[in-house]
Amino acid sequence: MRIVNEEILCGVCQNERAIIFCDGCDLPLCANCRFFDLWGYGCGHVDTKVFCQKCNDDIKKNPYGGAIK
Ligand SMILES: [Zn+2]
Ligand SMILES: [Zn+2]
């Protein structure tokens, strides 16, 4: 999870200021366009991932939350 430190616009809506980068494709995302996912590892360790809608649904980029339905 990488925080945006510069003034850049969200790469999805092009409307809001981006606050975080997508962990899948490095697209800057605003608060409305980001998706959080929690990846858990054995011993109770949980990693927070942030994705754009595309990567959130992409099983290759988000194997733990991806679109197995
Ligand atoms: Zn946005
Ligand atoms: Zn992405």
Side-chain angles (χ1 to χ4, degrees), residues 22-27 51-52 54-55 61:
C22 171
D23 277 323
C25 65
D26 280 341
L27 199 69
F51 294 110
C52 64
K54 224 170 107 207
C55 295
K61 291 185 172 138

Side-chain angles (χ1 to χ4, degrees), residues 34-64:
R34 73 193 158 161
F35 288 81
F36 277 116
D37 200 23
L38 296 175
W39 289 10
Y41 303 97
C43 45
H45 178 77
V46 175
D47 210 3
T48 309
K49 296 283 179 184
V50 179
F51 294 110
C52 64
Q53 170 131 52
K54 224 170 107 207
C55 295
N56 191 58
D57 291 340
D58 188 337
I59 200 77
K60 291 194 200 82
K61 291 185 172 138
N62 185 9
Y64 300 100

Side-chain angles (χ1 to χ4, degrees), residues 9-18 28-34:
L9 281 180
C10 170
V12 176
C13 61
Q14 311 274 326
N15 241 332
E16 305 277 333
R17 191 174 170 267
L29 302 169
C30 74
N32 301 323
C33 298
R34 73 193 158 161

